[in-house]
């Protein structure tokens, strides 16, 4: 049972480049979400999904796109990376009531 | 909108003593859950304890307990018999069950355990 997996673990981008952060879970959770964590701060919700085909914006959605074509996968797309998007990104999944299970995180640096 | 406030950016505690980490919340929903997570320096998020808004008894999990005061909208984490391995960031979070499980975090408290 892998839980929540994220790839890559580390990524360096140049300003203006695009990329997709991958997230997958094998617990059949309906709810998935993406957070970013800046140094010394808490986790801020970027986008979330309550099921396949359904996504919504969180607290800091600008500059990011998501889609949810399957229950298992929830990729996060950066269309045109900016230095302000340098952060650690966490993907998480849960059922509606229970705890959220987090992936190991992706450390992204935009130069 | 939901909000979590953690007013203690940093805390120190002597090894083997108890420590309380404060958390207050704001929500207009009646059905919600409160969560505490630990984030050690290695970066992973570790679930510690959960309290549902309708739970009448305070939650406990080993050395962790949650002091839930619904009228005051507070959900403080109590760690008993602190250990050096408890040194980490601690985050309080709220999930509204009317909003599909969206989890909102506070800013966190950095706990340092002194030998």
């Amino acid at each position: 049972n892998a839980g929540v997996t994220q790839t890559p673990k580390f990524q360096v981008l140049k300003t203006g480049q695009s990329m997709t952060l991958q997230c997958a879970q094998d617990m059949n959770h309906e709810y998935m979400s993406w957070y970013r964590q800046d140094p010394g701060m808490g986790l801020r919700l970027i986008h979330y999904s309550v099921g396949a085909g359904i996504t919504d914006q969180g607290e800091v959605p600008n500059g990011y796109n998501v889609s949810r074509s399957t229950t298992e996968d929830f990729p996060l797309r950066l269309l045109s990376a900016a230095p302000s998007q340098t952060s650690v990104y966490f993907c998480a999944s849960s059922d509606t009531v229970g705890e959220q299970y987090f992936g190991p995180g992706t450390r992204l640096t935009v130069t | 909108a939901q909000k979590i406030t953690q007013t203690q950016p940093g805390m120190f505690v002597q090894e083997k003593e108890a420590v309380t980490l404060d958390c207050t919340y704001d929500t207009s929903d009646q059905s919600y859950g409160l969560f505490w997570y630990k984030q050690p320096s290695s970066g992973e998020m570790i679930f510690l304890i959960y309290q549902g808004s309708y739970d009448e008894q305070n939650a406990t999990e080993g050395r962790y307990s949650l002091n839930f005061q619904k009228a005051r909208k507070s959900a403080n984490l109590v760690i008993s018999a602190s250990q050096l391995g408890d040194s980490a960031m601690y985050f309080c979070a709220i999930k509204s069950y009317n909003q599909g499980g969206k989890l909102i975090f506070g800013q966190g408290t950095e706990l340092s355990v002194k030998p």
Side-chain angles (χ1 to χ4, degrees):
Chain A
N1 192 341
V4 180
T5 58
Q6 290 183 236
T7 55
K9 289 189 176 181
F10 301 94
Q11 184 70 48
V12 179
L13 291 178
K14 293 186 177 180
T15 298
Q17 287 184 318
S18 62
M19 79 159 297
T20 299
L21 306 185
Q22 300 292 344
C23 175
Q25 53 94 6
D26 61 1
M27 296 172 281
N28 202 33
H29 286 157
E30 288 298 317
Y31 183 84
M32 296 186 74
S33 54
W34 277 101
Y35 294 87
R36 62 176 288 173
Q37 185 179 29
D38 299 316
M41 296 184 67
L43 281 71
R44 291 184 292 170
L45 183 64
I46 304 171
H47 285 286
Y48 65 100
S49 169
V50 298
I54 306 169
T55 64
D56 205 348
Q57 296 181 350
E59 302 167 282
V60 288
N62 292 340
Y64 308 95
N65 279 354
V66 292
S67 59
R68 184 96 179 270
S69 56
T70 67
T71 298
E72 295 77 20
D73 301 299
F74 191 44
L76 178 73
R77 298 182 186 86
L78 283 71
L79 300 178
S80 179
S84 60
Q85 294 179 304
T86 293
S87 191
V88 179
Y89 291 84
F90 288 97
C91 179
S93 76
S94 72
D95 54 29
T96 303
V97 177
E99 70 190 84
Q100 287 211 350
Y101 294 81
F102 284 85
T106 295
R107 188 172 296 273
L108 175 68
T109 301
V110 182
T111 61
Chain B
Q2 305 161 84
K3 185 178 180 182
I4 292 283
T5 302
Q6 294 180 255
T7 57
Q8 306 155 313
M11 290 278 288
F12 289 92
V13 65
Q14 205 69 34
E15 192 179 8
K16 300 181 184 178
E17 292 186 348
V19 63
T20 297
L21 306 184
D22 294 341
C23 172
T24 58
Y25 62 92
D26 189 21
T27 181
S28 56
D29 294 319
Q30 297 300 311
S31 181
Y32 54 89
L34 294 152
F35 299 78
W36 278 91
Y37 284 83
K38 172 184 178 181
Q39 187 179 43
S41 58
S42 52
E44 70 269 32
M45 295 293 289
I46 302 169
F47 167 72
L48 295 178
I49 196 167
Y50 158 81
Q51 179 87 40
S53 57
Y54 293 115
D55 294 339
E56 295 185 352
Q57 290 195 329
N58 287 340
T60 61
E61 287 287 347
R63 294 186 299 111
Y64 304 107
S65 61
L66 203 154
N67 184 0
F68 182 48
Q69 298 186 46
K70 193 171 182 178
R72 291 188 171 186
K73 293 191 173 180
S74 74
N76 299 338
L77 177 70
V78 180
I79 305 174
S80 63
S82 297
Q83 302 172 357
L84 296 179
D86 293 334
S87 293
M89 284 291 291
Y90 289 81
F91 293 99
C92 181
I94 184 168
K95 175 190 287 192
S96 169
Y97 300 140
N98 297 328
Q99 298 187 38
K102 185 168 64 172
L103 190 66
I104 301 298
F105 284 82
Q107 296 276 63
T109 294
E110 184 172 10
L111 178 66
S112 298
V113 180
K114 294 182 173 181

